[in-house]
Amino acid sequence: MPPKIRELVAELERAGFVDRGGKGDHRNFVHPNVARTVTIAGRLGDDARRYQILAVRRAVEESQR
């Protein structure tokens, strides 16, 4: 079973990302040590898509360097 969007958001926030807002159900997360913005789309209770899971994992790894 894939994780929920709320779990990805919590993982980003634990890694130090800040939600810069977005339009509709999109959320844009930024981190001072990561060059790109991570966008998560979907309601908090929705299942996360594979590409969203991979994007979050890559961003968290990059933030720890």
Side-chain angles (χ1 to χ4, degrees):
M1 176 175 267
K4 299 291 183 184
I5 296 291
R6 76 173 60 87
E7 295 169 17
L8 296 183
V9 169
E11 188 174 344
L12 285 169
E13 290 174 344
R14 277 193 304 270
F17 284 80
V18 177
D19 185 0
R20 300 300 288 173
K23 203 170 194 181
D25 61 0
H26 287 69
R27 294 165 196 81
N28 298 305
F29 290 89
V30 295
H31 191 281
N33 297 337
V34 179
R36 59 190 164 89
T37 302
V38 180
T39 301
I40 302 294
R43 293 181 302 243
L44 293 177
D46 291 346
D47 289 339
R49 304 264 182 169
R50 181 164 165 64
Y51 73 90
Q52 293 172 318
I53 298 166
L54 294 174
V56 168
R57 287 185 183 154
R58 287 184 190 130
V60 169
E61 286 175 9
E62 190 175 335
S63 72
Q64 295 172 350
R65 293 183 191 163

